[in-house]
């Protein structure tokens, strides 16, 4: 049985282009935090048309426990 939960956030803003090298920490910290809670993160920017970010929580029960540990 698939015990994944996904959360998708979309916007219709300016979007952005993903460079080969990212100077900031924003996207990297999002990826790092998703790994901490047994989740994966998919970021799909579309320059001029907004961005779609999807977080998939693998084994949602384990993810919930990990979220609780981090939140303390």
């Amino acid at each position: 049985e698939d015990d994944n939960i996904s959360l998708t956030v979309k916007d219709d803003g300016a979007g952005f282009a993903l460079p080969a090298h990212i100077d900031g920490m924003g996207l990297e910290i999002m990826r790092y935090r998703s790994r901490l809670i047994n989740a994966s993160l998919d970021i799909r920017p579309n320059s001029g048309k907004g961005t779609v970010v999807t977080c998939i929580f693998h084994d949602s029960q384990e993810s919930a426990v990990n979220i609780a540990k981090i939140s303390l």
Side-chain angles (χ1 to χ4, degrees):
E1 181 177 310
D2 189 11
D3 194 25
N4 295 343
I5 295 174
S6 66
L7 170 68
T8 299
V9 178
K10 301 177 186 180
D11 74 20
D12 59 358
F16 60 95
L18 279 176
H21 173 71
I22 299 172
D23 291 328
M25 290 295 299
L27 297 177
E28 286 304 312
I29 200 72
M30 289 171 64
R31 289 185 180 105
Y32 170 75
R33 288 178 176 171
S34 67
R35 287 191 304 269
L36 284 177
I37 60 171
N38 192 33
S40 59
L41 193 64
D42 181 44
I43 302 168
R44 295 183 187 223
N46 192 353
S47 187
K49 298 181 181 177
T51 303
V52 177
V53 178
T54 302
C55 184
I56 300 172
F57 302 89
H58 307 286
D59 186 357
S60 60
Q61 187 172 22
E62 179 182 338
S63 291
V65 168
N66 290 336
I67 291 168
K69 288 178 184 177
I70 294 169
S71 298
L72 296 178

